[in-house]
Amino acid sequence: MQFDPFVIPFNIGLYFILIYAVVRCVLWFRDLSRADKLRLQRGFFGRPFAKSLKEIFMESLIHRKILKSNFRLGYMHMSLAFGWFLLILFGTIEADIFGTRHLNPPYKAIFFKFFNPEHGRNGIEAFYAFIMDFLLAFILSGLLLAVIKRFSSRVVGMKKTTRLKTLDKVALTSLWLIFPSRLLAESFTSAAYDTGSFLTGSLGSVFASFLPVNELAYPFWWLYSISLGTFFILLPLTRYMHIPTELFLIFARNSGIRTGDHYGAFTEIQTYSCSSCGICIDTCQLNLSTGITDIQSAYLLKGIRNNEDVKDIANNCLMCGRCDQNCPVGIELTPIRMIMRREPETKSGDNGFFEKYFPSHVKIPVPKTNGSLVYGWLPAVKTTKAEVLYFAGCMTHLTPAIKKSMIKILDAAGVNYNFMDEEGGVCCGRPLMLAGKYKQARELINYNSKIIKQSGANILVTSCPICYKVFRESYYLNIDVYHHSQFINSLINEDVLRLRFLRKKITYHSPCELGRRSGVYAEPKEVLKHVGRLQLTRHEDENAYCCGGSLGNMHISYAQKKKIASDAAKDLTRNNPDILATACPLCKKTFSPVTETPVADIAEIVAEAIILSHPDKKNYSKVISLKEPVDISE
Amino acid sequence: MKNKVIVIGGGTAGMEVAGQLAKHDCTVTLLERSAETGGHVRDWYHLFPDRKDSREVINYLENLIRHKSISLFTDTDVNDIVRENDFFVVRTSDGKELQADAIVVSTGFDLFRSERKEEYGYGIYDNVISSADLEKMFRNDEIKLQNGNIPSKIGMVHCVGSRDEKVGNVYCSKLCCVTAVKQAIEIVKRIPEAKVFCFYMDIRMGGALYEELYKEAQQDYGVNFIRGKVSEVSQDIDNKLITKVEDTLTGRPLKIGLDMLVLMAGMEMAESGQKIALSAELDTGENRFFKATDLHYGSNKSNKNGIFYAGTCTAPMNITETISHARAAVIDVIDYLNDRSN
Ligand code: SF4
Ligand code: SF4
Ligand code: SF4
């Protein structure tokens, strides 16, 4: 059995990290809710497992998403991850085929050259040595980019790179040392035995001309092993923990586990999966427009990992969801932030050595109301029986042109509806949720739910995407919820709303809460195509900018919000549209003061285009339900 | 040779400057972008605090500029101002190139466009009007609702577009409070049974005889002053304006049905002034008005030697203050011209 003491550091590191990973996974699994455990078990024996393997290959190794959004940055990640993976794979095969025995311990593959210095002289061996050299060169090229990125992030096409803590720096140094020390160790050994391919061979002969390669090789094999060992042992304490964690995340996500509003194992897995790539910093408008660079999701997750107080970071965010959309790891960043805005119940300082490796996590329970109707004293809202219930929302009451237009549209289409908050109503609850006040929000939700239930309506239409989101997700009602753009679209499709063409150029701003946060992109555009010429913008759908007026951020000043708004408006009106259309009263209010282009809600544009009486006027009967009705009678 | 001065803007300040400079032996070119001189005063009916007919002021100003050394160009916009050695060249929208030894900028203010506070429903609900619209009604002697009826419950909203961070104006326009008081009295005089409510944040009565007028409004005309900001306005089926107010004195939300709502629009730096500021590189403050070199003793001087300011292009002012400020500008101009010829 071939052995040399220098492999010990590597062995310690390797077995430590393997055992650690297993223990951590078990702990995480234990902390999952019952339902999530089941999902995971089912996933393990089903399609999710295969799907995860594919995704791990594409994302964790190839880094396809980063490659697509930023080639140089993607190449850097790919060469390190995929290159290293191949090096280990080919190394193992090499040790198996060309080594003295089959089924070797892992160190044999890693330090193959040391134990088989004569290998690779000719024929198939030389070809194999060439491949191994090539892989090493591939990794080193990525490493070079990484080193440059540390000192100047612009080189890899990024505006900001993440800041590091001390342990990260030690781990980073050991990571950086791994491949150069392997290169030198292999080169020296090759030179001593006159083997090695294009990289290690040629470099070795250069060194041999002026250095005592024989004596130098051994210390560098030690260095190689120590760097690997150090890196493995420090890994759980540093951001490199994302490498093993991401694998678990991908599998959990494919098994159907979602963040929801619980802080639990899955949230924790996500916080550890962040690779600190910094893409979220680059896409955030708080950075682009106002130069705020310390609140982005990378820092939020880092703060959570380090058990710091993240209140200020969590609250200083537009909740626009642009970073979620761009995060290559697919972390549910905004839902996590929503949770972090709530009051944590326990907060433990993890200081001991053991706690550092196995931190106890924060508990942030979902607040509950005691069930009593807090707003019971409000005058009762009377509703007559009608198919459709219209809820304008507070913001729409502040933009009466939208409300007026909706009434005109509903009347023109002959919809039998009830105006729930005609006399003013109670807030939908979302603003309080965004402020982390779940309990108070639930009290509002309970109040509104009662009115909605009593109305007996089957369809709830709202003009405000903020209300739309909370009605859909946080009200437990058996009712179809439509945003008015969706409802208008179905009225047009049913042919109960006839519109003329306005001959105007329109650009559409997709509101965050309707688009990215609720996934409604198509219907508003469909509607606009009926009444005008829809122009495309540079940032469509999930890439749309936030208007800056977000209720989610009470930290920044009006001046800063205005800056974000005018930057976004400038981008939207580059093609000089006649109307800047949006589908949210808040966006309208935010954009109106900062652009010369008239800003209008979809409802206003449609109301203007209505052909009032057309001869064979049909009346709205019942719009096709969003949820396909299931017939179970026969 | 006589000194030449160009005055940009033919409102109260510009006319006063032109007239006084002509008296002091200058040749004056007065540029006005609209068809008529007189500025905002023309749109006003009576002036506070003594309810003087605004036409008296207009007559005074028109007589003042009827002078052989003043040439007036109306419908003329200024494109840019360049300094060439010792004199200025002003290029106008109709292609003229005018030369002058000194320049007085008196571009005045724009009334805040009330549509921008959409929650008040201006341009959306029939009977939401601005303070300027009401003055027109006074002039035509018909205070009527859209349907021809006489309003009996009228609300006046203070601070529309002023003291409002959301619209980007944190300053107080200074005149709207007293305008509201004056208009409230005028309404009650014409419609004695009318109830008028003023919704205010603070009442600012800092001018001569303002406080007296405020007292009169309450004692003799029964105008109600409610301390609270209007949050939103909606319209019911009878076209009544349902107005929601937070009454900050009693600490309770208030809902009141009104026939008519008058918005006390604030004053903003004129857009034409902003254009000139950009092209001539004149300093403006955070409130966008021109920034004079010193608030105390240099309120007519700009950062460019030879260019002076007069009137409300530097801050909200009433007519008395505008005329005083204009006369002060004349002294600065004459000083400048004398220093130059010595
Ligand atoms: S949160 Fe996502 S985008 Fe941001 S640094 Fe982490 S991995 Fe990158
Ligand atoms: S949600 Fe929007 S504002 Fe918040 S960190 Fe992400 S990109 Fe920035
Ligand atoms: S004068 Fe009165 S109404 Fe006008 S801005 Fe000042 S406080 Fe408001």
Side-chain angles (χ1 to χ4, degrees):
Chain A
M1 167 119 183
Q2 293 172 313
F3 181 80
D4 192 284
F6 86 84
V7 304
I8 295 173
F10 164 75
N11 275 352
I12 295 177
L14 180 72
Y15 292 116
F16 169 79
I17 193 64
L18 288 178
I19 295 169
Y20 178 81
V22 172
V23 174
R24 200 70 194 267
C25 285
V26 170
L27 288 179
W28 275 330
F29 183 77
R30 204 191 56 188
D31 283 344
L32 284 175
S33 69
R34 251 182 59 84
D36 284 346
K37 275 185 193 146
L38 251 139
R39 286 197 178 95
L40 220 53
Q41 282 164 7
R42 249 185 270 131
F44 196 77
F45 299 104
R47 261 168 36 90
F49 192 73
K51 217 175 132 199
S52 304
L53 286 184
K54 188 177 157 217
E55 192 179 332
I56 286 170
F57 182 77
M58 292 310 288
E59 301 306 338
S60 306
L61 294 178
I62 308 275
H63 289 91
R64 181 185 56 110
K65 281 194 202 133
I66 309 187
L67 268 173
K68 264 208 289 196
S69 70
N70 178 341
F71 183 77
R72 268 176 290 178
L73 185 69
Y75 179 81
M76 181 188 109
H77 281 256
M78 177 180 73
S79 61
L80 284 173
F82 191 49
W84 199 358
F85 169 76
L86 287 181
L87 198 69
I88 295 170
L89 183 74
F90 279 84
T92 312
I93 299 172
E94 188 180 36
D96 198 63
I97 301 176
F98 304 111
T100 43
R101 302 187 326 169
H102 297 295
L103 291 177
N104 300 287
Y107 73 81
K108 277 291 198 38
I110 304 297
F111 306 113
F112 182 79
K113 185 88 206 169
F114 178 84
F115 295 110
N116 304 282
E118 300 276 0
H119 171 76
R121 269 196 220 291
N122 41 42
I124 182 91
E125 285 191 0
F127 177 67
Y128 212 96
F130 176 84
I131 291 182
M132 294 303 280
D133 261 18
F134 178 78
L135 288 176
L136 188 59
F138 180 48
I139 299 176
L140 284 167
S141 67
L143 187 67
L144 189 67
L145 272 178
V147 176
I148 297 173
K149 170 176 175 240
R150 253 305 126 207
F151 298 110
S152 156
S153 52
R154 282 185 187 279
V155 179
V156 284
M158 297 198 44
K159 290 175 206 94
K160 277 303 280 191
T161 192
T162 45
R163 281 173 274 130
L164 291 180
K165 55 176 184 167
T166 328
L167 264 181
D168 277 331
K169 281 186 192 150
V170 179
L172 184 70
T173 316
S174 53
L175 176 67
W176 281 1
L177 278 177
I178 293 173
F179 298 101
S181 58
R182 171 172 175 142
L183 174 71
L184 291 176
E186 287 201 344
S187 302
F188 292 144
T189 307
S190 300
Y193 291 87
D194 200 21
T195 50
S197 189
F198 73 98
L199 183 64
T200 49
S202 355
L203 201 63
S205 33
V206 173
F207 284 139
S209 63
F210 64 97
L211 285 174
V213 283
N214 259 330
E215 289 75 48
L216 274 174
Y218 194 57
F220 275 93
W221 283 109
W222 266 98
L223 182 65
Y224 180 36
S225 167
I226 292 174
S227 319
L228 280 166
T230 317
F231 179 68
F232 287 149
I233 288 182
L234 289 182
L235 188 131
L237 304 183
T238 65
R239 62 198 184 96
Y240 299 103
M241 183 62 187
H242 80 89
I243 302 169
T245 317
E246 196 188 341
L247 312 183
F248 196 92
L249 169 68
I250 291 177
F251 175 54
R253 188 171 49 220
N254 281 328
S255 304
I257 298 179
R258 293 290 175 272
T259 310
D261 50 13
H262 291 268
Y263 189 96
F266 187 63
T267 328
E268 198 173 288
I269 293 165
Q270 294 189 82
T271 53
Y272 280 98
S273 295
C274 163
S275 64
S276 304
C277 67
I279 287 181
C280 52
I281 307 175
D282 264 10
T283 49
C284 176
Q285 283 165 271
L286 287 177
N287 170 16
L288 300 177
S289 285
T290 59
I292 299 173
T293 54
D294 50 4
I295 55 82
Q296 282 77 9
S297 299
Y299 297 117
L300 177 75
L301 300 181
K302 186 168 136 196
I304 302 175
R305 286 197 304 266
N306 298 346
N307 222 340
E308 287 158 9
D309 184 4
V310 292
K311 261 245 123 80
D312 283 344
I313 295 183
N315 284 316
N316 190 355
C317 158
L318 301 165
M319 303 302 265
C320 67
R322 273 172 66 83
C323 49
D324 301 48
Q325 211 49 249
N326 285 285
C327 173
V329 185
I331 304 174
E332 292 180 76
L333 298 168
T334 318
I336 293 179
R337 208 181 269 263
M338 280 291 269
I339 296 171
M340 297 319 289
R341 287 185 168 194
R342 301 202 305 248
E343 221 42 74
E345 194 172 68
T346 51
K347 186 117 188 93
S348 54
D350 292 324
N351 294 319
F353 182 77
F354 185 74
E355 282 89 5
K356 277 213 165 101
Y357 276 93
F358 296 100
S360 60
H361 53 240
V362 226
K363 287 205 182 64
I364 310 177
V366 185
K368 291 201 173 61
T369 59
N370 58 12
S372 67
L373 212 49
V374 182
Y375 295 94
W377 52 272
L378 283 173
V381 177
K382 279 186 263 352
T383 48
T384 46
K385 177 101 181 86
E387 173 79 13
V388 175
L389 192 62
Y390 173 59
F391 183 83
C394 340
M395 275 298 157
T396 316
H397 281 288
L398 295 178
T399 45
I402 301 178
K403 192 174 66 178
K404 221 178 150 188
S405 308
M406 267 317 284
I407 293 171
K408 187 175 168 197
I409 293 168
L410 293 170
D411 287 341
V415 178
N416 173 19
Y417 72 98
N418 244 311
F419 192 160
M420 174 168 155
D421 56 342
E422 183 164 20
E423 305 274 307
V426 156
C427 170
C428 64
R430 178 116 178 108
L432 278 172
M433 272 190 174
L434 284 167
K437 306 266 179 250
Y438 258 55
K439 185 165 164 284
Q440 290 82 344
R442 277 257 78 95
E443 288 165 356
L444 297 171
I445 291 176
N446 290 346
Y447 175 81
N448 282 328
S449 299
K450 203 171 144 219
I451 301 177
I452 297 171
K453 253 193 215 129
Q454 276 168 2
S455 79
N458 293 322
I459 289 172
L460 178 66
V461 178
T462 174
S463 284
C464 177
I466 303 166
C467 308
Y468 173 71
K469 183 168 169 67
V470 73
F471 278 142
R472 256 195 15 171
E473 292 174 11
S474 310
Y475 281 63
Y476 308 119
L477 292 168
N478 189 20
I479 191 168
D480 281 340
V481 183
Y482 282 81
H483 178 254
H484 71 219
S485 59
Q486 298 173 301
F487 193 69
I488 294 171
N489 190 42
S490 44
L491 291 178
I492 298 173
N493 291 342
E494 277 225 336
D495 201 26
V496 292
L497 197 64
R498 291 259 175 108
L499 304 172
R500 66 200 161 82
F501 194 72
L502 293 176
R503 308 202 171 284
K504 282 192 176 139
K505 289 181 286 173
I506 304 175
T507 38
Y508 171 64
H509 163 74
S510 174
C512 303
E513 297 272 292
L514 188 65
R516 264 188 304 270
R517 309 297 312 280
S518 301
V520 178
Y521 298 111
E523 293 97 325
K525 289 188 181 178
E526 282 305 309
V527 172
L528 287 172
K529 279 186 207 152
H530 270 96
V531 290
R533 250 187 28 237
L534 190 65
Q535 290 182 330
L536 285 189
T537 59
R538 288 202 305 179
H539 296 89
E540 282 289 306
D541 298 346
E542 43 291 283
N543 290 319
Y545 275 141
C546 168
C547 71
S550 163
L551 291 178
N553 197 332
M554 294 298 158
H555 263 233
I556 53 174
S557 66
Y558 278 113
Q560 286 171 313
K561 287 193 174 182
K562 213 168 163 180
K563 175 76 176 37
I564 297 173
S566 61
D567 285 352
K570 241 178 252 152
D571 187 72
L572 282 159
T573 53
R574 280 163 60 92
N575 295 328
N576 301 314
D578 300 316
I579 304 175
L580 172 53
T582 177
C584 168
L586 186 54
C587 296
K588 185 190 170 193
K589 271 185 95 56
T590 313
F591 278 139
S592 301
V594 297
T595 173
E596 300 287 305
T597 314
V599 184
D601 188 274
I602 280 199
E604 293 172 71
I605 303 172
V606 169
E608 200 195 321
I610 287 179
I611 302 171
L612 262 185
S613 52
H614 63 91
D616 50 332
K617 184 172 181 322
K618 289 189 225 163
N619 264 10
Y620 158 87
S621 52
K622 182 179 183 324
V623 175
I624 315 130
S625 171
L626 273 188
K627 296 187 212 121
E628 284 294 302
V630 192
D631 190 7
I632 46 163
S633 51
E634 235 132 14
Chain B
M1 209 186 72
K2 276 189 174 187
N3 281 314
K4 270 198 236 158
V5 181
I6 293 178
V7 180
I8 304 173
T12 307
M15 293 166 88
E16 182 70 28
V17 167
Q20 300 297 349
L21 279 174
K23 278 193 207 165
H24 289 87
D25 220 22
C26 293
T27 311
V28 182
T29 310
L30 180 57
L31 305 176
E32 165 57 36
R33 51 194 293 273
S34 65
E36 256 184 324
T37 54
H40 292 276
V41 182
R42 251 184 220 288
D43 303 331
W44 243 241
Y45 173 60
H46 276 175
L47 304 175
F48 54 78
D50 57 352
R51 281 170 248 150
K52 184 192 284 299
D53 191 326
S54 64
R55 279 181 289 210
E56 285 185 42
V57 176
I58 295 284
N59 287 341
Y60 156 78
L61 292 169
E62 278 177 347
N63 281 331
L64 197 63
I65 60 165
R66 215 164 281 137
H67 193 291
K68 61 176 188 330
S69 314
I70 300 180
S71 32
L72 168 68
F73 296 109
T74 52
D75 290 313
T76 307
D77 237 334
V78 169
N79 281 355
D80 61 2
I81 306 173
V82 241
R83 197 188 178 103
E84 280 178 17
N85 304 322
D86 244 5
F87 53 87
F88 294 94
V89 175
V90 172
R91 286 198 208 99
T92 64
S93 52
D94 48 1
K96 281 197 271 295
E97 282 204 5
L98 305 165
Q99 267 191 18
D101 300 283
I103 289 191
V104 178
V105 178
S106 51
T107 42
F109 68 93
D110 284 348
L111 217 50
F112 177 79
R113 282 184 292 113
S114 304
E115 302 90 314
R116 276 163 56 198
K117 284 295 281 181
E118 193 181 335
E119 52 265 53
Y120 296 156
Y122 186 77
I124 298 167
Y125 302 137
D126 293 345
N127 298 312
V128 178
I129 63 172
S130 74
S131 42
D133 300 332
L134 184 63
E135 291 289 331
K136 263 180 231 135
M137 290 186 173
F138 288 150
R139 173 78 76 208
N140 304 334
D141 197 19
E142 49 173 28
I143 309 175
K144 282 195 185 131
L145 299 176
Q146 203 87 335
N147 60 9
N149 291 348
I150 308 286
S152 59
K153 265 184 159 183
I154 297 149
M156 325 276 287
V157 186
H158 289 227
C159 302
V160 175
S162 316
R163 308 177 66 198
D164 186 343
E165 225 183 321
K166 287 191 190 166
V167 300
N169 298 340
V170 288
Y171 55 87
C172 163
S173 294
K174 220 165 91 171
L175 307 180
C176 5
C177 274
V178 64
T179 303
V181 171
K182 182 208 77 177
Q183 293 188 332
I185 293 177
E186 192 71 43
I187 291 173
V188 181
K189 270 190 164 175
R190 288 160 191 254
I191 317 170
E193 14 5 294
K195 281 234 144 291
V196 183
F197 302 88
C198 288
F199 306 107
Y200 67 96
M201 292 200 274
D202 300 288
I203 288 280
R204 304 216 159 153
M205 290 293 156
L209 300 176
Y210 290 7
E211 188 66 23
E212 288 83 340
L213 197 70
Y214 175 40
K215 219 166 167 191
E216 196 185 329
Q218 297 173 77
Q219 284 178 348
D220 304 344
Y221 295 94
V223 177
N224 291 292
F225 286 87
I226 297 174
R227 187 171 191 276
K229 209 170 157 54
V230 173
S231 58
E232 67 183 71
V233 181
S234 56
Q235 199 173 32
D236 69 6
I237 340 168
D238 312 320
N239 258 8
K240 270 227 182 298
L241 297 162
I242 310 299
T243 309
K244 282 195 196 160
V245 189
E246 176 77 23
D247 186 332
T248 48
L249 286 184
T250 60
R252 294 175 65 192
L254 203 97
K255 209 156 134 185
I256 178 169
L258 300 167
D259 300 320
M260 178 186 261
L261 200 64
V262 187
L263 308 180
M264 296 296 136
M267 295 160 93
E268 288 186 305
M269 168 74 158
E271 237 173 77
S272 53
Q274 291 190 45
K275 259 189 238 152
I276 290 174
L278 270 182
S279 70
E281 292 172 344
L282 295 170
D283 288 347
T284 51
E286 267 203 50
N287 57 9
R288 301 187 301 287
F289 285 103
F290 284 118
K291 191 174 170 183
T293 51
D294 188 276
L295 272 177
H296 305 277
Y297 47 77
S299 74
N300 296 97
K301 292 200 175 102
S302 77
N303 54 316
K304 291 275 156 81
N305 209 11
I307 302 185
F308 300 88
Y309 302 134
T312 53
C313 61
T314 60
M317 290 179 193
N318 65 16
I319 291 176
T320 322
E321 289 160 343
T322 306
I323 290 184
S324 310
H325 198 247
R327 289 180 187 167
V330 171
I331 296 188
D332 275 346
V333 173
I334 291 172
D335 263 356
Y336 168 77
L337 295 172
N338 286 345
D339 282 353
R340 240 178 31 138
S341 45
N342 289 339

